[in-house]
Amino acid sequence: MSDSPETLILNVDEAADGVRIDKFLSDTLTEYSRSFIQKIIKDELVLANDKHVKSNYKVAAGDVLNITVPECKTPEIEPENIPLDIIYEDDDIIVVNKPKGMVVHPAAGHYSGTLVNALMYHCKDNLSGINGVSRPGIVHRIDMNTTGVLVTCKNDFAHSRIAAQLAVHDITRKYNAIVWNPFSVESGTVDAPLARSRKDRKKVAIDQSGRRAVTHYRVLKNFKQFAHVECQLETGRTHQIRVHMSSIGHPLLGDDVYGSGKSPYNITGQALHARVLGFVHPRTGKYMEFEAPLPDYFQKILNDLESNGR
């Protein structure tokens, strides 16, 4: 991205006729992410034949697209001496157990206190740069109020190889969750595509035009009002477990976005923990698997459910 606004002119040829404009621009302007492309469309910085269009506009052969790329305004991200719960570390990767309430990388409203700030202090300049200056080392993420195991990369070599495993769903990711309502089955699979909600852009929704999303679940223990489940991701879409569990009538305890948010327990956000992460080490080629123990708040809820039979 340039340091000042830039205007681009693109002509649509016959090969792209009928393609959604956000896909066309993502495929053409490969230096920008799809989310960035969608943002500039939403901000009315993309014109098709001198008219503002939406992301679902389908380009036609002969269309002239006028794109204004805004000035890059990158906040200064500072290292911060924040304690890290390190599960494993070597010259290529660092595996951490992220606490509840910590944002993974800086974003609007969260430019300090993030995992990236802590990693920058701990690793100095030894973090991958593939995801840009605001996300050094970050190859995947979990939500602010989700706890658990996360791998970050110290160099681009490691980053590209971990990212490649993520792209083809070769990474083992198992989560523990406490959800509302007991199950009548021992296990199951939710195979439902996800996309940004058309009603609320801050939410994710099941949408047949979205990207394929698959969650396998296994009931660990049923209670009267709740259930303790293990969810294994086949894909890793934003809010995937939260949306999928809610869609089958089992919203996560404490989830105020995809559930009611009500809870008999004093917790912040959803009861979701990334417990197991497994992948092939980028340099040695050996499969490694890491586990983060259930956080105290999660275990206390399970103990109460066992004792009081909620």
Side-chain angles (χ1 to χ4, degrees):
M1 197 183 299
S2 65
D3 291 331
S4 58
E6 180 182 5
T7 299
L8 304 174
I9 306 295
L10 297 177
N11 295 297
V12 180
D13 58 23
E14 292 183 1
D17 189 83
V19 175
R20 279 177 55 123
I21 193 167
D22 55 353
K23 185 178 189 307
F24 173 77
L25 292 178
S26 294
D27 291 344
T28 305
L29 306 175
T30 55
E31 65 269 38
Y32 304 116
S33 67
R34 186 157 185 170
S35 60
F36 175 79
I37 294 296
Q38 291 173 332
K39 184 178 187 306
I40 63 173
I41 294 173
K42 182 180 178 180
D43 292 345
E44 299 189 339
L45 298 176
V46 177
L47 303 177
N49 306 317
D50 296 324
K51 294 183 179 179
H52 292 121
V53 292
K54 295 183 177 180
S55 292
N56 61 358
Y57 173 80
K58 294 183 178 179
V59 298
D63 277 359
V64 178
L65 308 182
N66 186 299
I67 304 104
T68 300
V69 180
E71 178 182 356
C72 178
K73 295 181 179 178
T74 304
E76 193 71 27
I77 308 302
E78 298 291 342
E80 295 179 38
N81 187 7
I82 301 169
L84 288 171
D85 183 358
I86 298 172
I87 299 173
Y88 174 84
E89 181 177 11
D90 62 25
D91 291 339
D92 293 298
I93 61 173
I94 177 169
V95 180
V96 301
N97 181 13
K98 189 191 81 65
K100 201 173 187 68
M102 174 181 271
V103 175
V104 170
H105 60 75
H110 297 280
Y111 291 116
S112 65
T114 73
L115 178 61
V116 162
N117 296 106
L119 286 170
M120 288 175 67
Y121 183 90
H122 178 79
C123 300
K124 310 308 180 197
D125 295 326
N126 298 319
L127 289 170
S128 65
I130 291 177
N131 264 344
V133 295
S134 66
R135 301 184 185 186
I138 303 302
V139 65
H140 71 122
R141 68 181 185 85
I142 54 180
D143 294 337
M144 177 176 71
N145 287 319
T146 298
T147 55
V149 63
L150 193 76
V151 61
T152 60
C153 298
K154 292 185 173 182
N155 53 64
D156 290 351
F157 173 86
H159 191 127
S160 61
R161 280 155 180 76
I162 297 291
Q165 293 178 60
L166 279 165
V168 295
H169 317 309
D170 273 351
I171 287 185
T172 301
R173 283 175 289 178
K174 296 179 181 179
Y175 289 68
N176 282 47
I178 300 173
V179 301
W180 284 90
N181 308 320
F183 286 77
S184 60
V185 296
E186 292 183 356
S187 61
T189 296
V190 182
D191 186 342
L194 300 176
R196 283 290 170 187
S197 170
R198 302 181 188 191
K199 296 180 180 179
D200 183 349
R201 300 298 294 176
K202 294 181 181 179
K203 297 175 67 174
V204 173
I206 292 176
D207 187 327
Q208 294 307 310
S209 67
R211 301 173 71 188
R212 187 171 186 238
V214 181
T215 303
H216 306 284
Y217 64 88
R218 179 169 65 93
V219 180
L220 301 176
K221 184 70 179 286
N222 271 324
F223 300 98
K224 287 184 179 179
Q225 292 179 270
F226 302 97
H228 180 202
V229 298
E230 176 188 86
C231 295
Q232 182 161 352
L233 296 181
E234 184 173 320
T235 59
R237 311 303 180 201
T238 300
H239 296 178
Q240 179 174 315
I241 291 173
R242 298 166 64 187
V243 177
H244 275 176
M245 288 295 99
S246 180
S247 75
I248 60 172
H250 298 277
L252 270 63
L253 173 66
D255 193 338
D256 58 359
V257 177
Y258 302 104
S260 66
K262 66 179 182 179
S263 170
Y265 302 99
N266 183 25
I267 63 172
T268 302
Q270 65 279 354
L272 183 62
H273 176 67
R275 185 175 58 84
V276 175
L277 182 69
F279 54 87
V280 173
H281 191 281
R283 197 169 299 274
T284 68
K286 294 181 179 179
Y287 179 78
M288 306 179 76
E289 193 165 280
F290 304 95
E291 182 169 350
L294 294 175
D296 288 344
Y297 90 88
F298 199 113
Q299 189 60 59
K300 286 178 180 178
I301 293 174
L302 290 179
N303 292 344
D304 184 74
L305 292 174
E306 291 279 3
S307 301
N308 298 322
R310 287 183 187 270

